[in-house]
Amino acid sequence: MAATLNGFHHVKLPVADVERSRDWYERVLGLRVFIEFVEDGELMGVALRDANNVVDVALRQDPVRAAAMAGFDPMALCVPTLRDLKAWQQRLDDLSEPHGGIVTGHVGQVLVGLHDPDGIEIRFYHPAQDDPEDAR
């Protein structure tokens, strides 16, 4: 097959309130807005990016679809080491953001149970099995 992929361009999530969700993704995940989508003078969406220019997340005003996604986990963010995964857990604790802790996934460790303002679950995944810290 000649057609190839080299990753995701972005993930787009529906939200009930763009400003509220933007603020949460900035505060909790450390993402920063790099595009605003204004239609007829109203903010209808934003594109956010992490500091390393690796992860792009778009949020789009769509309360009906946001409500339908509540409880679903459409996004698992890759974390390079178990130490980094534990650092994310500590960050969430420091921010008083409820989560379900680190559990063993099918491949690696997963920080589960973090929900955005619409109840959409965001997971942090450390998939490597050969990380020396995994043995601890």
Side-chain angles (χ1 to χ4, degrees), residues 41-113:
E42 185 177 349
L43 182 65
M44 296 301 293
V46 293
L48 303 111
R49 181 175 283 158
D50 73 312
N52 295 321
N53 295 321
V54 174
V55 175
D56 287 357
V57 176
L59 307 176
R60 177 72 181 171
Q61 183 83 20
D62 192 334
V64 173
R65 286 189 175 101
M69 295 269 300
F72 191 64
D73 59 324
M75 183 168 46
L77 299 168
C78 194
V79 178
T81 68
L82 184 57
R83 177 174 285 128
D84 292 316
L85 189 63
K86 291 177 180 178
W88 273 107
Q89 183 177 27
Q90 185 61 55
R91 175 180 172 81
L92 298 179
D93 290 343
D94 291 347
L95 293 171
S96 298
E97 284 291 331
H99 60 81
I102 297 173
V103 300
T104 300
H106 291 288
V107 178
Q109 304 294 311
V110 187
L111 177 54
V112 299

